[in-house]
Amino acid sequence: TQLLEQSPQFLSIQEGENLTVYCNSSSVFSSLQWYRQEPGEGPVLLVTVVTGGEVKKLKRLTFQFGDARKDSSLHITAAQPGDTGLYLCAATSYNQGGKLIFGQGTELSVKP
Amino acid sequence: EPEVTQTPSHQVTQMGQEVILRCVPISNHLYFYWYRQILGQKVEFLVSFYNNEISEKSEIFDDQFSVERPDGSNFTLKIRSTKLEDSAMYFCASSETSGQYSPLHFGNGTRLTVT
């Protein structure tokens, strides 16, 4: 069974602080996605990483895919209250593009 | 921006009853999915659907579940005889292709409560 473990599960920080969320597995994946989910809504895709070692930036968010394609991280610089939400990592195996395996999520709270 | 729409947003049903959850995927998408999220747990894959047939299903998707694309726009999930443990958020998603470069677009979900 392929598992994705996210850490931490809960994170409460002050506005302006930096943070990193981790997504780890013992399995190799063909791609990994990061989603953000607001209460009462479905997950919204932030980024897809495909190549081992790949780094993608989305404004203050930096996403990295591990060299071995087993892990990923999301780093937020100078967090804002608007960053508050549930962050989910999800991965796909080879030849199973639409079957996502999700991590349990990281609930981020950024206080003004 | 086109979006996946799901109805109803909240469905309450009694144990043993049948429910149909409805989804309208993005119009040019060819691949359709159902996921569910039990309160406090991970989002879990249920089934994928392409070309009017199931492509893959998980262990959760047993004989009480079925999916259908009854017309050119709707994609439905039927639960034949609901159980208490079927209570969850059910998310529909669609994608243009099945490849790793084709992101899934999720609807806002239907909260199913079985009493």
Side-chain angles (χ1 to χ4, degrees), chain A residues 3-5 30-31 33 35 37 40-43 45 48 50 69 86 88 92 96-100 102-104, chain B residues 33 35 37 41-45 48 56-58 89 91 95 98-109:
Chain A
L3 292 174
L4 274 179
E5 297 295 331
S30 65
S31 70
Q33 290 100 49
Y35 289 83
Q37 186 178 16
E41 298 182 8
L45 181 70
T48 299
V50 176
R69 305 162 79 118
L86 179 67
L88 299 164
T92 58
Q96 295 185 332
K99 181 183 175 183
L100 294 173
F102 279 85
Q104 69 268 52
Chain B
Y33 313 88
Y35 285 77
Q37 185 176 30
Q41 297 186 24
K42 296 182 182 184
V43 177
E44 301 173 290
F45 169 80
S48 59
E56 188 168 1
K57 58 184 181 179
S58 70
M89 282 290 288
F91 292 106
S95 63
S98 67
Q100 63 199 50
Y101 297 99
S102 185
L104 268 63
H105 295 258
F106 285 85
N108 284 335

Side-chain angles (χ1 to χ4, degrees), chain A residues 10 14 17-18 29 41 70 72 81-82 93 99:
Chain A
F10 301 96
Q14 293 295 129
E17 291 184 7
N18 301 331
F29 295 106
E41 298 182 8
K70 293 182 179 181
S72 180
S93 297
K99 181 183 175 183

Side-chain angles (χ1 to χ4, degrees), chain B residues 5-23:
Chain B
T5 56
Q6 289 186 243
T7 55
S9 57
H10 193 180
Q11 174 91 46
V12 181
T13 189
Q14 288 192 324
M15 196 167 51
Q17 296 296 305
E18 174 183 288
V19 294
I20 298 177
L21 310 183
R22 302 181 191 281
C23 170

Side-chain angles (χ1 to χ4, degrees), chain A residues 3-70:
Chain A
L3 292 174
L4 274 179
E5 297 295 331
Q6 263 184 262
S7 61
Q9 278 191 264
F10 301 96
L11 191 54
S12 181
I13 61 172
Q14 293 295 129
E15 181 176 1
E17 291 184 7
N18 301 331
L19 67 113
T20 302
V21 177
Y22 299 94
C23 182
N24 296 298
S25 176
S26 58
S27 301
V28 176
F29 295 106
S30 65
S31 70
L32 192 139
Q33 290 100 49
W34 285 92
Y35 289 83
R36 180 172 163 180
Q37 186 178 16
E38 302 291 344
E41 298 182 8
V44 176
L45 181 70
L46 296 174
V47 78
T48 299
V49 285
V50 176
T51 306
E54 182 176 2
V55 176
K56 282 191 174 178
K57 288 182 182 285
L58 188 65
K59 296 183 182 177
R60 293 177 293 101
L61 278 60
T62 302
F63 305 86
Q64 184 161 9
F65 200 14
D67 290 341
R69 305 162 79 118
K70 293 182 179 181

